[in-house]
Amino acid sequence: MMKKIICVLLCALVFCALALPAFAEVGVVDEAYYQRFQGEKITLNVYNWGEYISDGSDDSMNVIKEFEELTGISVHYTTFASNEEMYAKIKSGGGQYDVIIPSDYMIARMASEGMLEKLDFSNIPNYALIDDVYKGMEYDENEEYSVPYMWGIVGLIYNTTMIDDEIDSWNALWDERYMGNILMFSNSRDAFGISLARLGYSLNDTDPAHLEEAANELKNQKMLVQAYVMDEIFNKMEGGEAAIAPYYAGDAITMIDENPDLAFAIPKEGTNYFVDAMVIPTGCENKEAAEMFINFMCEPEVSAANAEYIGYSTPSSAAKELLDLDEETMAIAYPDASVLEKTEVFKALPEEANEAIDKYWTDILSYNENPNEWIGPVFLVVAFVASIVITIVRAYKKKHDIY
Amino acid sequence: MINKKARIAGVPYVIWMVVFIVAPLCMVAWYAFTDKSGQFTIDNISSIGQYAPVFARSIWLALIATVICLLLAFPLSYLISRMSGARQSLMIMLIMLPMWMNFLLRTYAWMTLLENNGLINRFLGLFGLGPFQMINTQGAVVLGMVYNYLPFMILPLYSIMTKIDDSIINAAKDLGANMWQVTWRVIIPLAMPGITTGITMVFVPSISTFIISRMLGGGGNILIGDLIEMQFLGNTYNPHLGSAMALVLMVIVLLCMSIANQFDDEEMEGMLL
């Protein structure tokens, strides 16, 4: 009997839980605003960097789930590994997305190619919560296409047990004492940015002579480099496999959490300062719902949860105040204005410069100290000759066997 | 009547082939011979000459990997094919077992094994040896290829060797052939179709791989696959050059296959006589 009652009670409880409108735990600025699409069964396709949202693991907030519960809109969330991968996919028409979160220079490029929808900021009231310094930056000067999501800088992460010196310059990546213990970006734009900054040029320099100089420096660096990597850096730096690597500040915080021997330095020559922002691609079917999602991501509590989880820096002071950070993390994630003065945002480069950079980069990666240029041609000749000889021999044999 | 039925049964496959094989091939060719504005050009193809070292390295590494696979797989397949039924299926299952795991995971595992602070070097360190530089070398790339593609060599060899009757080998021995002669004059010619299939199945994925060279080669020893990937997912996004590279790679592979097949035919004829 008791069992039955418990059973009924449990059923009732479950039913109630289902029937009650599920009010999310997250506090939002204007709850009524989010009810507009309740019950319309809208689906949003969100395309973001991998590991770039608070997903509910380790007691963090599950941002997507909170949004779904609050608005009744279901979210189909997918990720990409690089701006270029995302661009290729959108450009080739390989996907229908409603919200994308690319970086600054890619937003400029997509906007100039007419791939982005202009936002209706009256649907994004929380845009007012974003600090003014992050608005109207060069990639979106007229504040038309994007809403900043996170920002950060590129710096050097190094292992203090393997490096005794004070690191303060990109020159450390060219230091022969660390030969074989240096990791380098495997994407051309970041790698060239470092090389250009080290030579004292702008990160967006398109002067062919300067690009060539930067390329030659990267070529010289190759014999010192252990590997060209992106996300493998986590594994290799945390495991003490390499001594020094350039990477994003937010990820550096994650790595330092895992391995306290690691430290982060911001090079004095200046560095890349990046903003990843939310945009809506053309052809989006639920623009208002997409704007609602963008608005939700700007909620101070949500932005703070994301910043806390991924380690990157939030562009909203209201969110920053909610974060509980120690001084060391603070210095990495929110550096002084004096540091930021020397930083530079990537711009969309003209096509010729992009092509030149990619060509140099391929050269650098395929360059070998003792190249054997003869293998290719010799192989082809041998293959052709072998093919002909075999055919002749076969024909000869056949002839003699038949007759 | 049967012909007609057979033809109808083949229709889905033909549609499949046209949509997913022929059409993409045509698109690759189309991209390879056009520039960004859609005009005909051969610049893409002719500019591939500058990447000759990468092509050479890919061919070279893939050849080494194929030869090593063949040398490892041939005796192993022969031994397995001479075992009793139950043990045969056990051995084949053991060979297939690693393939149930994701390809990327397996390659990633080799990274942790080969690193300077990796398991192998730490083990050797117990005896005061090393550390040896193993990861980020061309050797590591070849190792990755051999490890990942060895089953593709073993399986065709094994399936053809199970068909070689013991009595043929015994007959050769009775007629005074020693072990080498049996291998060289009897087993190899009979196993030739399996050898060519195995070579194709190892050489083709090896020459076009990009993830193995990235993970185990350190990104500084790029192969054709990396090069093509860079054209599609790189900074410039140049599918035209990428397609041209893919086309050239395809020609190289076809050339290699035609050579292998000619060996096959020749030996088959010799066998029939």
Side-chain angles (χ1 to χ4, degrees):
Chain A
M1 193 58 200
M2 200 58 195
K3 256 187 186 168
K4 237 181 196 170
I5 292 173
I6 291 175
C7 220
V8 169
L9 278 178
L10 271 179
C11 285
L13 205 68
V14 168
F15 187 75
C16 282
L18 286 176
L20 279 174
F23 283 112
E25 310 146 35
V26 54
V28 293
V29 176
D30 178 7
E31 182 126 11
Y33 163 81
Y34 291 104
Q35 305 308 320
R36 219 183 307 170
F37 296 106
Q38 201 68 260
E40 284 187 38
K41 293 220 167 78
I42 291 176
T43 304
L44 278 182
N45 292 307
V46 177
Y47 201 27
N48 191 5
W49 293 81
E51 286 286 310
Y52 209 42
I53 194 166
S54 175
D55 64 358
S57 55
D58 306 331
D59 286 333
S60 60
M61 180 197 286
N62 187 336
V63 171
I64 298 291
K65 207 172 126 234
E66 297 289 346
F67 177 75
E68 289 179 330
E69 281 176 7
L70 179 65
T71 62
I73 297 170
S74 56
V75 174
H76 184 223
Y77 184 79
T78 39
T79 61
F80 54 85
S82 72
N83 279 310
E84 285 70 25
E85 179 192 336
M86 180 276 305
Y87 174 82
K89 191 152 180 193
I90 306 287
K91 189 80 179 170
S92 62
Q96 186 65 55
Y97 297 100
D98 301 297
V99 179
I100 314 178
I101 312 187
S103 308
D104 34 47
Y105 69 97
M106 191 49 82
I107 291 173
R109 181 172 179 181
M110 291 172 83
S112 71
E113 292 177 24
M115 294 164 75
L116 299 183
E117 202 82 63
K118 282 191 183 169
L119 301 179
D120 179 357
F121 284 96
S122 61
N123 285 331
I124 312 175
N126 286 346
Y127 186 64
L129 297 172
I130 306 276
D131 297 1
D132 283 337
V133 270
Y134 308 104
K135 290 179 183 170
M137 294 175 73
E138 271 166 288
Y139 63 89
D140 185 14
E141 265 173 326
N142 303 325
E143 298 184 44
E144 288 174 317
Y145 298 104
S146 62
V147 176
Y149 174 59
M150 289 286 154
W151 64 275
I153 55 173
V154 174
L156 287 167
I157 180 150
Y158 61 100
N159 193 322
T160 48
T161 60
M162 297 163 92
I163 291 181
D164 297 326
D165 307 354
E166 195 70 32
I167 299 289
D168 64 348
S169 156
W170 291 122
N171 283 325
L173 290 174
W174 272 261
D175 193 327
E176 281 173 26
R177 284 174 299 166
Y178 313 135
M179 183 169 177
N181 282 321
I182 296 169
L183 298 176
M184 191 65 187
F185 276 119
S186 75
N187 84 65
S188 51
R189 191 76 204 263
D190 280 319
F192 268 81
I194 289 172
S195 191
L196 285 166
R198 177 171 166 264
L199 293 166
Y201 302 129
S202 156
L203 301 180
N204 297 307
D205 205 322
T206 55
D207 184 335
H210 294 171
L211 285 180
E212 195 181 339
E213 204 181 327
N216 284 334
E217 284 300 314
L218 287 169
K219 214 169 204 172
N220 294 337
Q221 185 205 21
K222 187 174 175 178
M223 56 176 285
L224 308 175
V225 172
Q226 181 189 91
Y228 293 90
V229 285
M230 288 304 289
D231 282 347
E232 294 97 324
I233 284 182
F234 284 91
N235 213 333
K236 289 187 192 272
M237 288 307 294
E238 285 165 13
E241 183 67 20
I244 186 164
Y247 220 55
Y248 310 110
D251 295 323
I253 293 171
T254 314
M255 283 186 255
I256 292 170
D257 277 347
E258 288 292 321
N259 181 353
D261 289 338
L262 299 177
F264 186 75
I266 299 162
K268 58 174 190 265
E269 293 95 340
T271 181
N272 170 223
Y273 162 81
F274 60 85
V275 179
D276 294 326
M278 297 172 277
V279 297
I280 298 180
T282 44
C284 158
E285 281 166 15
N286 296 303
K287 190 154 169 274
E288 261 182 63
E291 282 159 350
M292 187 180 278
F293 182 81
I294 292 176
N295 192 55
F296 183 74
M297 295 291 265
C298 296
E299 292 286 348
E301 278 194 25
V302 176
S303 188
N306 281 330
E308 177 140 17
Y309 182 76
I310 62 185
Y312 283 62
S313 321
T314 168
S316 150
S317 299
K320 193 178 149 193
E321 276 160 21
L322 298 175
L323 290 171
D324 178 26
L325 297 174
D326 58 61
E327 247 172 74
E328 195 194 356
T329 318
M330 214 52 188
I332 299 175
Y334 302 94
D336 292 339
S338 61
V339 173
L340 292 180
E341 252 171 41
K342 281 190 184 163
T343 57
E344 223 180 324
V345 181
F346 277 145
K347 287 185 213 159
L349 296 182
E351 208 165 298
E352 307 84 63
N354 268 330
E355 267 170 25
I357 286 179
D358 255 29
K359 194 173 162 319
Y360 283 132
W361 188 237
T362 326
D363 276 354
I364 292 161
L365 290 189
S366 52
Y367 157 79
N368 210 325
E369 269 135 77
N370 39 359
N372 202 339
E373 322 171 330
W374 290 103
I375 292 178
V378 166
F379 174 81
L380 278 183
V381 171
V382 169
F384 268 117
V385 170
S387 184
I388 292 165
V389 166
I390 290 171
T391 318
I392 292 173
V393 167
R394 237 172 65 187
Y396 180 82
K397 265 190 175 176
K398 214 170 193 174
K399 202 170 160 191
H400 283 255
D401 289 336
I402 293 167
Y403 299 109
Chain B
M1 200 57 197
I2 293 168
N3 249 339
K4 205 173 179 186
K5 265 187 189 159
R7 214 173 284 167
I8 291 168
V11 166
Y13 181 63
V14 171
I15 293 174
W16 176 271
M17 282 227 305
V18 169
V19 175
F20 293 107
I21 299 173
V22 180
L25 268 180
C26 293
M27 276 166 74
V28 167
W30 166 261
Y31 268 105
F33 286 105
T34 52
D35 60 13
K36 274 176 186 164
S37 54
Q39 296 293 312
F40 175 82
T41 175
I42 56 162
D43 283 355
N44 296 324
I45 303 278
S46 58
S47 67
I48 281 174
Q50 62 196 4
Y51 303 113
V54 181
F55 277 77
R57 184 185 305 143
S58 302
I59 294 169
W60 182 235
L61 294 185
L63 273 179
I64 296 176
T66 313
V67 169
I68 294 176
C69 275
L70 185 60
L71 291 179
L72 287 176
F74 193 85
L76 182 65
S77 315
Y78 180 72
L79 287 178
I80 295 176
S81 73
R82 299 301 117 185
M83 285 174 181
S84 68
R87 288 182 74 188
Q88 272 190 30
S89 40
L90 178 71
M91 293 298 284
I92 288 301
M93 208 189 76
L94 285 178
I95 287 164
M96 296 293 293
L97 202 62
M99 296 186 69
W100 296 353
M101 256 175 290
N102 184 288
F103 173 81
L104 287 176
L105 266 179
R106 280 180 281 146
T107 314
Y108 205 76
W110 272 110
M111 245 167 94
T112 3
L113 282 173
L114 297 177
E115 277 176 347
N116 293 342
N117 295 328
L119 293 176
I120 294 176
N121 268 326
R122 255 188 274 167
F123 178 73
L124 291 175
L126 294 178
F127 307 101
L129 297 167
F132 297 103
Q133 172 68 37
M134 289 186 284
I135 197 154
N136 305 331
T137 59
Q138 298 197 351
V141 178
V142 172
L143 176 74
M145 289 174 179
V146 170
Y147 173 74
N148 279 309
Y149 302 129
L150 187 61
F152 296 117
M153 183 66 94
I154 293 177
L155 291 179
L157 276 178
Y158 159 77
S159 66
I160 199 122
M161 281 184 182
T162 47
K163 293 187 192 118
I164 300 177
D165 205 315
D166 271 337
S167 58
I168 295 177
I169 294 162
N170 288 334
K173 282 181 184 160
D174 286 346
L175 292 169
N178 61 28
M179 199 183 76
W180 289 114
Q181 285 170 322
V182 171
T183 312
W184 192 246
R185 306 280 297 269
V186 179
I187 301 174
I188 289 185
L190 284 176
M192 212 51 181
I195 294 176
T196 49
T197 315
I199 288 175
T200 314
M201 289 178 71
V202 172
F203 184 73
V204 174
S206 297
I207 202 173
S208 55
T209 183
F210 66 97
I211 203 71
I212 295 177
S213 56
R214 170 143 348 136
M215 286 172 127
L216 301 178
N221 288 306
I222 58 171
L223 302 182
I224 312 176
D226 299 281
L227 211 52
I228 296 175
E229 197 245 0
M230 277 167 76
Q231 303 310 315
F232 285 94
L233 301 179
N235 195 21
T236 42
Y237 183 59
N238 190 348
H240 302 278
L241 184 57
S243 299
M245 287 172 182
L247 207 63
V248 171
L249 176 61
M250 224 142 55
V251 170
I252 292 175
V253 169
L254 277 178
L255 200 66
C256 297
M257 290 314 101
S258 82
I259 293 170
N261 283 336
Q262 280 172 5
F263 265 113
D264 189 13
D265 288 347
E266 187 193 25
E267 294 297 335
M268 289 289 278
E269 270 177 19
M271 205 176 72
L272 288 173
L273 285 172

